[in-house]
C-alpha cells in the first residue's frame, strides 16, 4: 500500500483520503468535506495542470496543486 | 422577529432571500464591523419580520474577513443582529457538507428553520430524503423544502414561519458546545471531524441514493470551456462581446445623460435669478450629480453581464482557468473580472473585487485596477495624440497614432502587473492565499436575481461614491469661482477694457473673460504655484490648472484646457482647438505642446490617479482612507517620474 498525495493523482481514479497534513488552511479543507475515509476523484484540471477539479460527494471543488499536496490519499482498489 | 439567513455558497440562499423580501431590501453595515449587511423585511399576518442575509459560509469559523461577521454575531447573544431564528438554506443534493453549518448553529441553541433547497435537482439526481426521520433527530426545528430558483416554496416558508415555536434543540451533537477560539485551528479541526462523523451516520439513515447520476451535461460543457485552447478562446470572445456592449451601447445613454445634464443646468440657470446660488446649483451641484449618473449605464451593463456569468456557473470556470496565470503576480483567478472591468471604468472594477475571499489578493487587485486605462482617459489620449503625434504610416501598414494609443493601453496593463508583483512582496500576510472554489453545475440564470443584483450595485455606487464625487465637485467649483478679494472682478474689467480685444466678437470676448477669471481664481493661483514642480515635465501653469481640475475626472482635462486657452471646444474633431493649442507659445516663444511635453502628459495620464470617484470607491471597499491615499501616492509618484523621464529623454 503506497501513500500518495492528491496532487499526484491521475484523472478518473477514485481515491480515499488517508490524512490531511497540517497547514494554514487544513481546517478549511476539512470543513469542505475533505475528511479521512472520504472517497474523492480528480475529474479534470485547468490548462497548465493547475488548479485541479475534484469530485466530492457529488459536487465539484477546485484546489490549487499546493493545496492538493496536503491531502494524503490511497487508491481504493489497493485496499 | 429577527431572522438570520445562513447557508453555504451556491445553495440558492440569495434566491430564498429575494423570494421572501422581493424589492424591500436594504444595504448597510453590521454594527461594529465593516462588513456589508443586506437585510430585508416582509410581513406575515401583519407581523413584521426582518431578514438578514449573511455571507455564504461552510462553517462558523471564517475563511475571510467578510465571513467573520457570522462568528461575531452568533457568538454574542447581545449583538444587535443576534437572531431570534436562524433560517439555514441547504443544498439538499449535498447534505454532508451543507449540514455541517446547521449542526454548529443547532448546538448554539438558536431556533432553526431548515430550508432544503434545490429539491428538484435532488430528485433528478436520484436522491431521496426521509424528512420525517431527519425531523426525529432534531425535533425542535422546522423543515421546509423549496425550489427557490424557480420561485417555489414561498407558501411553505411563510407557513413554517407562522407556526414556528422558537425553541432551541435540547440534544446537542457536541455536548456543552462552546465555540472554539478563532486561532485554535486544531480544536476546530477536531470539532469538524466529529460533526462529519455524526452526520455520516445520520445521513446514512435518512438518505437513499437510488442511482448516483453525476451531472454529465455539466461535465461535457466543461470539456469545452476548460479546454486549453477553446477555453481561453471562448473566454476572449465573451470578453469581446462584453466590451462591445459597454463601449458602444453604454455611450448612447451616457451621451443622453451628458446632454440632459447640460440642458437641465441651463434651464435652471435661466429660471433662477442670477447670482452665487445660481452658479453653485448650475455649475457645481447639477454637473456634480450628472458626473455621478453618467457612470450608471456602464456600471449597470457590466454588472448585468457579470451577474449572468455568475448565475450560470461560467464565472467560476473563468476563475479556474485563469488562476494559474494570475498567481505569479500575487493576484487570484478571481482578479480577472475586476481588471477587465477597469478597462471600461475602475469604479465597477473595484466593486467587483468583493468575490475575492483572500484579503491580500483582493487588496492588490483593488490597488492596481485603476492603472488599467479606463474609458475616461480616451478623450485625453485622443487630444494629445492628435496634438503631437504626426499622422504617419509606419512599416507600410500601421498608423503611428494608433500604435501610440495601443502603447498607452499596453503600458497601463504592464504597469498594473508590475505593481502587483511589488505589492505582493511588500504587503505582509500571515496565511498563504488559497482558492478552494466550488464549480457548481451549469444553470440558466434567474433573471430576478440578476436584476436585483444589478440594481443593488448601481444603488451602492450612486449613494456611496456619489456623496464624495458631489462634494469634491462643489469644492472644485468653489475654487474655480472664487479668488482673493477683487481679483476676479478686476480680471473681467481688465479684459473688457483691453483695446486689442474690443474688435473680437461677443463670444470670443466672453471666452477671454472666462479664461482670465479662471486664471485669477484660487485654482488659477494653485496652477501657478505648482508651476515650478511641473516645469521639469514640460508643462506650464495653464496645463497645471487643467491637471488640478481634472483631478475630479480625467476627461475634465480637455474642457479645462479649452477654457484656460480660451478656445472653443465645439467641433467633433476638436480641430479648431488643436490648431489653437499647436500655436500656443511660452514666453521664450517656443511651442508648449511638443512631442516631449505631449508624450510626457500622456504618460502622466496613464499613471496618475486622476479620478476622485475611484478613490471614493476604494475608500468604501477597503473601509479606510489609508489605501486610497497610498494608491494616490504611488500612482502620483509613477506619473510624475514617468512623465519626467519621458520629457527628459525626448527633449
Amino acid at each position: 500500500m503506497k501513500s500518495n498525495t492528491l496532487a499526484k493523482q491521475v484523472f478518473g481514479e477514485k481515491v480515499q483520503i488517508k490524512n490531511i497534513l497540517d497547514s494554514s488552511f487544513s481546517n478549511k479543507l476539512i470543513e469542505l468535506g475533505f475528511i479521512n475515509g472520504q472517497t474523492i476523484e480528480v475529474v479534470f484540471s485547468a490548462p497548465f495542470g493547475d488548479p485541479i477539479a475534484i469530485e466530492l460527494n457529488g459536487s465539484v471543488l477546485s484546489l490549487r496543486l499546493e493545496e492538493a499536496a496536503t491531502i494524503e490519499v490511497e487508491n481504493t482498489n489497493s485496499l | 422577529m429577527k431572522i438570520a439567513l445562513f447557508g453555504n455558497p451556491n445553495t440558492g440562499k440569495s434566491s430564498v432571500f429575494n423570494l421572501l423580501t422581493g424589492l424591500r431590501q436594504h444595504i448597510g453595515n453590521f454594527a461594529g464591523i465593516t462588513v456589508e449587511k443586506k437585510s430585508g423585511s416582509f410581513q406575515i399576518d401583519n407581523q413584521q419580520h426582518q431578514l438578514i442575509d449573511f455571507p455564504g459560509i461552510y462553517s462558523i469559523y471564517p475563511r475571510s474577513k467578510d465571513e467573520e461577521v457570522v462568528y461575531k454575531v452568533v457568538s454574542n447573544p447581545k449583538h444587535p443582529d443576534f437572531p431570534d431564528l436562524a433560517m439555514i438554506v441547504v443544498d439538499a443534493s449535498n447534505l454532508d457538507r451543507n449540514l455541517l453549518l446547521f449542526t454548529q448553529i443547532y448546538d448554539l441553541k438558536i431556533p432553526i428553520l431548515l430550508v432544503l433547497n434545490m429539491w428538484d435537482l435532488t430528485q433528478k439526481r436520484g436522491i431521496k430524503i426521509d424528512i420525517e426521520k431527519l425531523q426525529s433527530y432534531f425535533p425542535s426545528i422546522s423543515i421546509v423544502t423549496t425550489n427557490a430558483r424557480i420561485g417555489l416554496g414561498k407558501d411553505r416558508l411563510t407557513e413554517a414561519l407562522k407556526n414556528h415555536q422558537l425553541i432551541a434543540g435540547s440534544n446537542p451533537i457536541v455536548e456543552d458546545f462552546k465555540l472554539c477560539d478563532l486561532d485554535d485551528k486544531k480544536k476546530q479541526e477536531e470539532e469538524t471531524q466529529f460533526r462529519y462523523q455524526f452526520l455520516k451516520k445520520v445521513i446514512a439513515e435518512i438518505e437513499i441514493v437510488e442511482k448516483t447520476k453525476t451531472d454529465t451535461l455539466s461535465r461535457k460543457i466543461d470539456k469545452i470551456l476548460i479546454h486549453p485552447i477553446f477555453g481561453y478562446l471562448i473566454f476572449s470572445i465573451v470578453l469581446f462581446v462584453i466590451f462591445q456592449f459597454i463601449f458602444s451601447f453604454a455611450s448612447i445613454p451616457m451621451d443622453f445623460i451628458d446632454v440632459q445634464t447640460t440642458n437641465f443646468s441651463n434651464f435652471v440657470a435661466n429660471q433662477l435669478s442670477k447670482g452665487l446660488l445660481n452658479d453653485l446649483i448650475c455649475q457645481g451641484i447639477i454637473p456634480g450629480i450628472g458626473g455621478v449618473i453618467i457612470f450608471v449605464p456602464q456600471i449597470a451593463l457590466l454588472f448585468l453581464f457579470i451577474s449572468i456569468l455568475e448565475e450560470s456557473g461560467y464565472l467560476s470556470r473563468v476563475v479556474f482557468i485563469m488562476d494559474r496565470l494570475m498567481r505569479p503576480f500575487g493576484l487570484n483567478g478571481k482578479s480577472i473580472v475586476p481588471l477587465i472591468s477597469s478597462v471600461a471604468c475602475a469604479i465597477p472594477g473595484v466593486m467587483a473585487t468583493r468575490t475575492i475571499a483572500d484579503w491580500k489578493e483582493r487588496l492588490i487587485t483593488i490597488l492596481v485596477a485603476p492603472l488599467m486605462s479606463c474609458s475616461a482617459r480616451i478623450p485625453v489620449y485622443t487630444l494629445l495624440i492628435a496634438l503631437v503625434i504626426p499622422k504617419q504610416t509606419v512599416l507600410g501598414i500601421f498608423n503611428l497614432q494608433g500604435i501610440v494609443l495601443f502603447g498607452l493601453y499596453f503600458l497601463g496593463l504592464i504597469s498594473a502587473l508590475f505593481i502587483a508583483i511589488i505589492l505582493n512582496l511588500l504587503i505582509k500576510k500571515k496565511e498563504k492565499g488559497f482558492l478552494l472554489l466550488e464549480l457548481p453545475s451549469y444553470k440558466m440564470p434567474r433573471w430576478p436575481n440578476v436584476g436585483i443584483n444589478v440594481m443593488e450595485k448601481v444603488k451602492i455606487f450612486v449613494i456611496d461614491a456619489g456623496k464624495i464625487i458631489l462634494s469634491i465637485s462643489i469644492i472644485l467649483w468653489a475654487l474655480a469661482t472664487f479668488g482673493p478679494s477683487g481679483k476676479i472682478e478686476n480680471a473681467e474689467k481688465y479684459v473688457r477694457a483691453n483695446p486689442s480685444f474690443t474688435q473680437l466678437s461677443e463670444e470670443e470676448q466672453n471666452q477671454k473673460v472666462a479664461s482670465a477669471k479662471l486664471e485669477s481664481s484660487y485654482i488659477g493661483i494653485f496652477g501657478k504655484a505648482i508651476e515650478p514642480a511641473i516645469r521639469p515635465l514640460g508643462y506650464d501653469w495653464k496645463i497645471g490648472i487643467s491637471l488640478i481640475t481634472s483631478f475630479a475626472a480625467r476627461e475634465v482635462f480637455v474642457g479645462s484646457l479649452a477654457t484656460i486657452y480660451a478656445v472653443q471646444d465645439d467641433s467633433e474633431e476638436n480641430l479648431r482647438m488643436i490648431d489653437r493649442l499647436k500655436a500656443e507659445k511660452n514666453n521664450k516663444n517656443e511651442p508648449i505642446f511638443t512631442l516631449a511635453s505631449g508624450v510626457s502628459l500622456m504618460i502622466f495620464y496613464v499613471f496618475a490617479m486622476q479620478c476622485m470617484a475611484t478613490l471614493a470607491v476604494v475608500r468604501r471597499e477597503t473601509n479606510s482612507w489609508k489605501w486610497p491615499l497610498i494608491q494616490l501616492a504611488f500612482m502620483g509618484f509613477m506619473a510624475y517620474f514617468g512623465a519626467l523621464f519621458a520629457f527628459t529623454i525626448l527633449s
Side-chain angles (χ1 to χ4, degrees):
Chain A
M1 192 175 72
K2 61 178 185 300
S3 97
N4 215 334
T5 76
L6 188 59
K8 294 183 192 133
Q9 281 309 306
V10 282
F11 300 154
E13 203 175 335
K14 285 199 167 61
V15 288
Q16 214 171 45
I17 299 177
K18 225 175 78 184
N19 186 27
I20 307 283
L21 297 173
D22 198 34
S23 69
S24 60
F25 45 81
S26 47
N27 51 341
K28 301 298 142 198
L29 288 175
I30 293 168
E31 280 161 9
L32 281 170
F34 289 95
I35 49 168
N36 297 351
Q38 175 71 45
T39 305
I40 51 175
E41 178 189 341
V42 181
V43 281
F44 51 82
S45 79
F48 310 107
D50 185 14
I52 54 175
I54 288 124
E55 183 171 322
L56 185 158
N57 266 331
S59 69
V60 182
L61 292 164
S62 117
L63 290 183
R64 289 176 176 171
L65 280 185
E66 230 179 7
E67 293 151 10
T70 67
I71 301 176
E72 287 187 330
V73 294
E74 56 194 359
N75 285 347
T76 39
N77 41 13
S78 68
L79 283 173
Chain B
M1 186 158 61
K2 222 184 291 165
I3 307 168
L5 192 61
F6 297 118
N8 290 13
N10 300 308
T11 48
K13 198 164 61 73
S14 56
S15 293
V16 172
F17 185 79
N18 292 340
L19 192 67
L20 282 172
T21 62
L23 290 172
R24 275 154 304 167
Q25 303 187 359
H26 172 78
I27 311 267
N29 273 338
F30 284 102
I33 325 166
T34 49
V35 169
E36 190 177 281
K37 175 171 100 174
K38 200 164 107 179
S39 59
S41 61
F42 59 96
Q43 276 192 347
I44 301 173
D45 292 347
N46 292 324
Q47 264 237 303
Q48 188 79 10
H49 297 291
Q50 196 203 1
L51 187 63
I52 305 171
D53 191 17
F54 283 81
I57 46 169
Y58 294 105
S59 154
I60 282 184
Y61 303 114
R63 295 198 293 173
S64 68
K65 268 251 160 318
D66 274 20
E67 294 184 6
E68 266 179 37
V69 63
V70 179
Y71 182 89
K72 286 193 175 151
V73 169
V74 297
S75 63
N76 175 14
K78 291 199 186 83
H79 193 284
D81 293 316
F82 190 84
D84 302 312
L85 172 75
M87 194 185 282
I88 303 178
V89 182
V90 302
D91 171 358
S93 68
N94 192 337
L95 279 183
D96 296 56
R97 176 155 67 239
N98 276 266
L99 286 181
L100 173 70
L101 178 68
F102 160 76
T103 65
Q104 290 175 324
I105 293 173
Y106 184 82
D107 282 357
L108 286 168
K109 310 244 186 275
I110 298 173
I112 291 175
L113 169 63
L114 185 66
V115 183
L116 299 177
N117 197 24
M118 307 199 181
W119 197 242
D120 51 340
L121 193 74
T122 312
Q123 282 165 333
K124 234 191 269 169
R125 287 207 183 149
I127 300 169
K128 282 220 172 92
I129 297 169
D130 188 341
I131 294 180
E132 273 171 42
K133 207 154 213 172
L134 180 62
Q135 183 81 72
S136 71
Y137 272 99
F138 308 103
S140 68
I141 67 166
S142 308
I143 304 174
V144 173
T145 62
T146 56
N147 285 327
R149 268 173 60 78
I150 48 171
L152 283 180
K154 190 178 175 181
D155 298 346
R156 290 194 288 272
L157 278 175
T158 47
E159 197 61 30
L161 283 171
K162 226 184 323 187
N163 300 329
H164 206 286
Q165 297 295 317
L166 290 187
I167 33 174
S170 52
N171 52 337
I173 294 105
V174 177
E175 296 286 343
D176 297 322
F177 177 56
K178 294 241 165 47
L179 282 166
C180 304
D181 271 355
L182 283 184
D183 301 326
D184 196 349
K185 247 179 66 243
K186 267 266 96 53
K187 242 180 120 190
Q188 289 174 26
E189 286 174 19
E190 278 165 24
E191 184 200 317
T192 310
Q193 301 249 24
F194 183 80
R195 290 183 186 282
Y196 261 114
Q197 273 152 18
F198 167 81
L199 282 173
K200 284 264 180 236
K201 268 188 279 167
V202 174
I203 289 166
E205 285 199 35
I206 62 166
E207 190 181 75
I208 309 149
V209 183
E210 287 178 331
K211 44 190 177 188
T212 35
K213 256 211 304 201
T214 43
D215 191 350
T216 44
L217 181 65
S218 280
R219 212 49 68 73
K220 275 180 195 155
I221 300 175
D222 272 335
K223 277 221 163 66
I224 303 164
L225 294 185
I226 303 245
H227 189 275
I229 296 162
F230 297 126
Y232 293 113
L233 190 71
I234 291 168
F235 179 46
S236 315
I237 295 171
V238 169
L239 281 187
F240 181 77
V241 171
I242 293 178
F243 277 112
Q244 213 47 47
F245 269 88
I246 289 176
F247 280 120
S248 45
F249 294 110
S251 67
I252 300 167
M254 285 172 90
D255 290 344
F256 177 78
I257 292 166
D258 200 16
V259 170
Q260 289 310 311
T261 312
T262 317
N263 287 348
F264 183 62
S265 144
N266 289 340
F267 170 78
V268 175
N270 292 331
Q271 297 299 308
L272 296 174
S273 56
K274 274 208 187 309
L276 211 51
L277 184 68
N278 185 330
D279 285 356
L280 171 65
I281 293 172
C282 302
Q283 291 166 27
I285 296 176
I286 295 177
I289 294 173
V292 175
I293 298 176
I294 197 139
F295 289 109
V296 168
Q298 280 193 341
I299 291 179
L301 263 180
L302 186 76
F303 279 104
L304 175 71
F305 282 109
I306 292 181
S307 306
I308 292 172
L309 295 184
E310 196 172 12
E311 279 262 316
S312 67
Y314 179 59
L315 204 59
S316 55
R317 270 70 180 185
V318 171
V319 172
F320 185 67
I321 63 172
M322 293 306 291
D323 186 64
R324 186 69 193 86
L325 300 176
M326 305 300 280
R327 232 181 295 161
F329 304 105
L331 300 169
N332 185 298
K334 289 179 180 169
S335 308
I336 196 77
V337 175
L339 291 184
I340 288 162
S341 311
S342 299
V343 179
C345 176
I347 294 158
V350 170
M351 282 159 66
T353 59
R354 289 214 191 130
T355 54
I356 305 173
D358 184 76
W359 167 243
K360 181 182 170 181
E361 289 170 337
R362 180 174 168 211
L363 182 63
I364 295 179
T365 312
I366 290 177
L367 292 179
V368 303
L371 285 167
M372 306 292 284
S373 278
C374 65
S375 50
R377 286 171 171 104
I378 294 175
V380 181
Y381 289 167
T382 9
L383 174 74
L384 292 171
I385 287 176
L387 256 178
V388 301
I389 306 290
K391 273 201 181 120
Q392 248 178 37
T393 311
V394 281
L395 297 172
I397 40 167
F398 298 109
N399 172 323
L400 185 62
Q401 293 189 329
I403 293 177
V404 172
L405 184 63
F406 175 79
L408 294 173
Y409 272 89
F410 191 67
L411 182 63
L413 171 70
I414 292 298
S415 57
L417 294 178
F418 177 72
I419 293 298
I421 294 178
I422 294 179
L423 291 172
N424 189 26
L425 295 173
L426 289 181
I427 300 174
K428 296 245 180 317
K429 193 181 61 164
K430 276 174 273 156
E431 287 133 41
K432 257 188 181 161
F434 48 80
L435 193 62
L436 294 184
L437 168 84
E438 211 172 320
L439 301 176
S441 33
Y442 291 100
K443 301 180 195 92
M444 271 304 285
R446 301 312 304 178
W447 301 110
N449 288 353
V450 171
I452 286 174
N453 193 19
V454 170
M455 275 192 13
E456 204 174 274
K457 291 292 187 314
V458 169
K459 219 158 98 184
I460 289 170
F461 168 74
V462 168
I463 294 171
D464 282 16
K467 277 188 287 200
I468 297 177
I469 299 174
L470 186 60
S471 33
I472 298 186
S473 302
I474 292 171
I475 293 172
L476 282 177
W477 167 83
L479 291 176
T481 306
F482 300 107
S485 61
K487 271 197 104 171
I488 289 192
E489 291 75 13
N490 287 342
E492 176 161 10
K493 269 186 222 144
Y494 177 77
V495 172
R496 298 252 184 243
N498 191 330
S500 63
F501 291 157
T502 43
Q503 288 95 29
L504 296 173
S505 72
E506 173 76 25
E507 199 184 341
E508 282 171 314
Q509 273 193 27
N510 285 342
Q511 284 167 21
K512 293 280 181 205
V513 169
S515 169
K517 274 182 166 175
L518 188 56
E519 185 184 339
S520 34
S521 71
Y522 285 114
I523 273 195
I525 294 166
F526 286 149
K528 286 188 169 160
I530 64 165
E531 199 182 8
I534 57 175
R535 202 176 296 129
L537 313 183
Y539 315 151
D540 64 356
W541 63 268
K542 293 180 178 180
I543 296 178
I545 290 178
S546 308
L547 290 184
I548 294 174
T549 53
S550 72
F551 176 68
R554 296 174 176 94
E555 66 271 23
V556 172
F557 177 77
V558 178
S560 285
L561 267 192
T563 312
I564 194 74
Y565 282 112
V567 291
Q568 248 181 323
D569 169 24
D570 53 3
S571 68
E572 281 279 295
E573 299 288 316
N574 291 340
L575 270 187
R576 182 155 168 225
M577 178 167 176
I578 285 167
D579 289 337
R580 291 284 287 269
L581 290 179
K582 270 183 182 164
E584 210 54 53
K585 300 265 166 48
N586 66 9
N587 45 19
K588 288 185 211 133
N589 212 25
E590 293 157 342
I592 298 209
F593 291 96
T594 60
L595 179 67
S597 68
V599 172
S600 157
L601 262 177
M602 288 180 216
I603 304 279
F604 188 89
Y605 273 92
V606 170
F607 294 136
M609 179 46 133
Q610 297 277 88
C611 181
M612 61 188 181
T614 304
L615 285 174
V617 171
V618 172
R619 198 216 79 86
R620 204 205 112 82
E621 294 296 312
T622 60
N623 263 306
S624 83
W625 278 110
K626 178 182 167 191
W627 294 110
L629 289 176
I630 287 176
Q631 193 174 30
L632 181 68
F634 80 74
M635 288 177 71
F637 182 85
M638 289 165 72
Y640 187 85
F641 287 97
L644 181 65
F645 178 74
F647 185 72
T648 320
I649 293 273
L650 291 171
S651 60

